[in-house]
Amino acid sequence: MPGIGTLVDLLLFYTLERVLFNRMVISMGKNSQQVKSAMTLWLMLEEIGYHELIRIIHSYDDDTIDAFFEEALQCLQFIQPNASSPIDESYETPVFLGLFDEPMNFRFFYYNREFMYKRYVHIMDTVCDKIFGENAAIEVDESGLKPAARPLGEGSTTSQVIGESSLNPSLELNQYIESTKVSNLNPGANEFRPGQTPEDTRTMFITFSKGHPLSREEIFHFFTSNWGEVVQDVVIEHTSHPGQEPQFGRIVFTTSLVIPMVLNGQSKAKFLVNRKHLWAHIYVPRYRGRKKLASKKV
């Protein structure tokens, strides 16, 4: 458990997240563990370039938020380590319509499941388990700047994050998280930060328009033509369903220094490559923002 000062900083930084949590749990009557799970997923998406996602979701009416919430629970099924590849036609249906200006479906989560699962567990452990309580978000007593509500009770674990829902999300994620926390994670270990892994800092997530995929060679040529010999590797989604074309991928650069040039000051980049659209995002852990916020405090 972090010290009081650290926890207060965390609570203040995630004020809007706590407001949305209370709205969904108290006003909308949603299961608190399911809401915590959905919020963790949304925070993870913010890390990979879908900025201001919580603010945008909070701006919608309750019915729309409810639809996003149910979709989030479904998406979680596809980031578990032993998830099955989505092959049904329904998995091609876009999710989170209105939130993004690029294609996103269940295949996006399945393709990036290894990375997403690690970040999901990390955000749950270091953020959501600390700012959300059993029945409401943890509040801050501004008079003394101390947490004013009891954090998640003893015995509550990350394995409870999904719970039961009308969409019956897989219980395997719960079981895997629980076994991971018990057998694989050292509670005394340093905080896990994938950003310290060199390849993570040099990787961009890429998306193609449905029906207009780009080949590995096309992507290589586009980036080397514009920025020189900066591409180490391009990985494209391998589809298993007949007639299904790739829609997602990752590009690894030789150095992280090229990414600011590609983004040109934006949170994401959109390019037209051989008359086909390509979106690119970089993963940015949100703890950097918390450090920046803390450094401004007197």
Side-chain angles (χ1 to χ4, degrees):
M1 188 70 183
I4 292 297
T6 302
L7 179 56
V8 167
D9 288 342
L10 195 71
L11 293 172
L12 292 176
F13 184 82
Y14 289 102
T15 295
L16 183 58
E17 285 78 3
R18 293 184 294 113
V19 170
L20 179 58
F21 181 88
N22 284 343
R23 176 182 175 186
M24 295 177 69
V25 173
I26 299 174
S27 300
M28 296 173 59
K30 296 299 179 182
N31 178 279
S32 62
Q33 297 300 317
Q34 294 176 348
V35 173
K36 183 167 66 169
S37 175
M39 295 285 290
T40 304
L41 182 78
W42 292 335
L43 286 173
M44 183 265 294
L45 288 175
E46 286 195 344
E47 285 193 342
I48 60 176
Y50 299 99
H51 300 308
E52 303 295 324
L53 186 57
I54 299 297
R55 180 188 61 78
I56 295 171
I57 291 173
H58 182 59
S59 70
Y60 282 98
D61 59 76
D62 287 356
D63 288 341
T64 304
I65 292 176
D66 181 66
F68 291 151
F69 167 68
E70 295 293 350
E71 287 183 327
L73 295 182
Q74 286 184 293
C75 291
L76 283 168
Q77 298 180 52
F78 296 102
I79 68 170
Q80 57 182 304
N82 58 347
S84 299
S85 173
I87 57 175
D88 188 272
E89 290 184 2
S90 64
Y91 297 141
E92 297 285 353
T93 303
V95 294
F96 301 134
L97 285 174
L99 294 182
F100 310 115
D101 61 354
E102 65 188 83
M104 178 179 287
N105 52 39
F106 295 133
R107 283 169 53 193
F108 171 78
F109 294 89
Y110 177 77
Y111 175 71
N112 295 297
R113 63 191 181 282
E114 182 177 352
F115 171 85
M116 287 184 169
Y117 180 77
K118 290 179 181 178
R119 290 309 301 166
Y120 175 87
V121 172
H122 177 72
I123 294 170
M124 178 65 75
D125 289 344
T126 61
V127 177
C128 294
D129 273 346
K130 293 177 172 56
I131 67 174
F132 301 139
E134 293 178 342
N135 301 307
I138 309 304
E139 298 298 338
V140 178
D141 178 3
E142 296 186 2
S143 63
L145 283 181
K146 295 181 179 180
R150 182 173 62 87
L152 201 64
E154 292 185 8
S156 298
T157 67
T158 312
S159 63
Q160 297 172 310
V161 297
I162 300 292
E164 298 179 357
S165 86
S166 59
L167 294 176
N168 190 26
S170 173
L171 296 178
E172 293 176 355
L173 178 60
N174 303 355
Q175 296 165 352
Y176 186 89
I177 295 175
E178 185 173 13
S179 64
T180 300
K181 287 173 68 64
V182 172
S183 61
N184 295 337
L185 297 183
N186 177 4
N190 292 330
E191 180 178 88
F192 169 62
R193 294 180 177 178
Q196 294 175 340
T197 304
E199 187 168 303
D200 287 340
T201 66
R202 298 183 280 112
T203 298
M204 297 192 79
F205 299 87
I206 54 179
T207 303
F208 318 128
S209 294
K210 183 178 179 181
H212 301 280
L214 286 162
S215 68
R216 188 171 181 270
E217 291 71 23
E218 286 178 302
I219 297 171
F220 255 110
H221 178 72
F222 174 77
F223 281 93
T224 55
S225 297
N226 285 278
W227 291 282
E229 299 297 323
V230 296
V231 179
Q232 176 179 311
D233 195 15
V234 174
V235 183
I236 302 298
E237 175 189 22
H238 292 287
T239 59
S240 57
H241 189 60
Q244 192 178 64
E245 296 178 310
Q247 197 173 352
F248 307 102
R250 289 186 294 273
I251 179 169
V252 182
F253 295 103
T254 56
T255 172
S256 61
L257 298 177
V258 71
I259 291 179
M261 294 188 289
V262 172
L263 290 175
N264 193 29
Q266 303 300 311
S267 61
K268 65 180 178 179
K270 182 179 180 181
F271 302 105
L272 193 63
V273 182
N274 296 337
R275 299 184 179 181
K276 293 176 282 190
H277 291 293
L278 180 150
W279 288 266
H281 299 263
I282 182 176
Y283 151 66
V284 180
R286 203 169 178 184
Y287 58 72
R288 295 177 185 170
R290 292 203 298 273
K291 283 187 175 181
K292 183 176 182 181
L293 178 74
S295 67
K296 293 181 179 181
K297 296 178 68 65
V298 178

